[in-house]
Amino acid sequence: MIKKNLFISSSFIFLIFLLDRVSKTYVIYLNDKSLGIEILSSKFLNIRLIWNEGIAFGLLSFNDKIIYNLLTFIIFIIILIIFFMVLKSYGLKKYSLLMILGGAIGNVYDRIFYGAVPDFIDFHIGNFHWFIFNVADIFITLGVIFMIIIEITGNNKNNKYEIL
């Protein structure tokens, strides 16, 4: 049972990481091919590559590499904490944490190998643009939303049986 749970959890994280990597690699390729112009432009969605050196939604962007590296290290520590939380979780809470973990691993990979995270999904209504984000951010956000719902409803507290 433990091996099955480990396999399912690892596969779930790998699938999120793979979706994130494929989407980012493809957008970077298209951006290089089109010389940096918008890849897609529509009434509500634009696909354009920006390099985010900060954390969520470009917050805490710094030009100083020491601060950038410190921030990356802190994110890595948070990933380890989430990993240990996953080991102690079950049911919906576990899968919410796995979504957060998979997305966080995808973004920290970019921080280490590119020195920034490629963001490219730009939703907008008229001139109001939401933050530009990527596939990893989608999974992190969904995981956090599910965690909030679980905490509000108390869904995991009454579940005495482990579900995968």
Side-chain angles (χ1 to χ4, degrees):
M1 184 70 165
I2 292 174
K3 286 184 181 182
K4 180 181 174 185
N5 287 339
L6 182 62
F7 176 76
I8 291 171
S9 296
S10 300
S11 297
F12 195 65
I13 291 170
F14 180 74
L15 177 64
I16 292 169
F17 181 78
L18 184 66
L19 288 171
D20 182 56
R21 289 282 4 111
V22 168
S23 65
K24 288 174 180 173
T25 302
Y26 186 62
V27 168
I28 292 168
Y29 165 77
L30 290 177
N31 185 70
D32 291 346
K33 189 175 175 182
S34 66
L35 301 173
I37 61 172
E38 273 188 343
I39 297 166
L40 171 77
S41 183
S42 70
K43 189 173 182 179
F44 298 107
L45 173 69
N46 297 338
I47 303 293
R48 63 185 172 108
L49 180 64
I50 63 156
W51 291 95
N52 179 357
E53 293 182 358
I55 57 172
F57 310 118
L59 300 173
L60 300 178
S61 289
F62 298 103
N63 290 331
D64 187 1
K65 286 297 178 192
I66 294 172
I67 295 174
Y68 178 84
N69 291 337
L70 179 63
L71 195 57
T72 301
F73 179 73
I74 291 169
I75 292 168
F76 183 74
I77 296 299
I78 292 169
I79 287 173
L80 288 176
I81 292 168
I82 294 170
F83 174 76
F84 287 111
M85 289 173 67
V86 166
L87 295 177
K88 295 180 178 189
S89 299
Y90 55 91
L92 298 174
K93 186 173 186 177
K94 179 178 184 175
Y95 285 97
S96 299
L97 288 167
L98 288 171
M99 283 194 274
I100 295 168
L101 184 60
I105 291 170
N107 281 343
V108 86
Y109 175 93
D110 297 319
R111 293 178 68 80
I112 292 168
F113 289 99
Y114 293 120
V117 177
D119 290 334
F120 54 89
I121 303 169
D122 176 21
F123 280 114
H124 61 91
I125 298 175
N127 288 332
F128 174 75
H129 290 259
W130 187 247
F131 300 105
I132 299 176
F133 56 96
N134 59 47
V135 172
D137 297 336
I138 293 170
F139 282 102
I140 292 169
T141 303
L142 287 174
V144 169
I145 289 169
F146 292 147
M147 289 292 290
I148 291 169
I149 292 170
I150 289 166
E151 290 302 316
I152 289 172
T153 62
N155 192 15
N156 249 31
K157 293 176 184 169
N158 298 327
N159 189 353
K160 295 179 183 175
Y161 303 102
E162 185 173 331
I163 303 171
L164 295 179

